[in-house]
């Protein structure tokens, strides 16, 4: 595993997360959903415009469970670069809100933050599904027109 000596608030929260400490895990999850993360793509994208429907995100295996897909997200561009050679044809990087990344997680998949690096963090399929549902709800609320009552004279 490769370790990055520079860190941002998300990396600090991930480093502090302990396997059996629910509070530190919750802090890491909270930091994750409030962060911008990097994803690797199979085609160029600016991370802002509407993505093409044929664009694919990089998925990795869940450690020894090679059958379970995990969306690979990275806390910095440096961690993307570490994973560059193993990721072909996913040669493109975009910075996105973590909530947006959660929208790309299928029901049977989880999320792996900084795969094969330190700090890393595993979000299992059940929790990834909860995060995806929360992101979907947020998108739906933001896209629903609000009724504005106007007083008529």
């Amino acid at each position: 595993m490769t370790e990055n000596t520079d860190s941002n608030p998300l990396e600090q929260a991930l480093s502090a997360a302990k396997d059996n400490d629910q509070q530190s895990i919750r802090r890491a999850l909270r930091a994750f959903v409030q962060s911008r993360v990097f994803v690797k793509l199979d085609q160029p994208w600016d991370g802002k415009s509407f993505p093409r429907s044929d664009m694919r995100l990089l998925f990795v295996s869940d450690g020894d469970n090679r059958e379970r897909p995990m969306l690979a997200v990275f806390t910095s561009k440096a961690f993307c670069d570490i994973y560059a050679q193993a990721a072909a044809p996913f040669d493109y990087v975009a910075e996105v809100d973590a909530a947006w990344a959660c929208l790309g997680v299928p029901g049977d998949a989880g999320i792996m933050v900084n795969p094969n690096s330190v700090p890393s963090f595993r979000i299992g399929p059940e929790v990834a599904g909860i995060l995806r549902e929360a992101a979907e709800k947020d998108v739906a609320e933001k896209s629903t027109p609000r009724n504005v009552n106007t007083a008529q004279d």
Side-chain angles (χ1 to χ4, degrees):
M1 288 193 189
T2 304
E3 188 167 357
N4 183 0
T5 56
D6 297 327
S7 67
N8 58 43
L10 174 56
E11 291 167 1
Q12 292 167 5
L14 299 182
S15 294
K18 306 293 182 232
D19 284 341
N20 294 321
D21 180 6
Q22 294 298 315
Q23 285 185 319
S24 67
I25 292 170
R26 283 189 186 110
R27 280 192 296 272
L29 284 169
R30 190 175 315 113
F32 172 73
V33 297
Q34 295 173 345
S35 294
R36 303 266 303 158
V37 295
F38 294 84
V39 293
K40 294 189 71 73
L41 312 162
D42 66 342
Q43 54 192 270
W45 180 55
D46 63 7
K48 298 175 186 121
S49 62
F50 196 77
R52 291 175 43 153
S53 62
D54 64 341
M55 181 180 75
R56 294 180 305 143
L57 298 164
L58 174 65
F59 280 79
V60 296
S61 65
D62 187 8
D64 291 337
N65 184 352
R66 299 201 182 275
E67 301 301 315
R68 175 170 291 133
M70 304 289 279
L71 175 63
V73 300
F74 302 88
T75 56
S76 69
K77 178 89 169 62
F79 280 112
C80 286
D81 294 343
I82 291 168
Y83 210 81
Q85 292 179 331
F90 296 89
D91 298 328
Y92 304 95
V93 175
E95 184 178 16
V96 298
D97 289 330
W100 181 91
C102 291
L103 292 172
V105 179
D108 63 338
I111 301 168
M112 184 63 71
V113 183
N114 295 336
N116 298 333
S117 298
V118 175
S120 63
F121 191 74
R122 179 189 179 280
I123 301 173
E126 184 177 316
V127 174
I130 292 167
L131 296 177
R132 183 186 62 251
E133 290 171 7
E136 288 169 346
K137 182 179 176 185
D138 188 50
V139 167
E141 288 174 359
K142 288 179 179 176
S143 63
T144 302
R146 300 191 190 272
N147 291 336
V148 178
N149 294 331
T150 56
Q152 294 186 354
D153 295 314

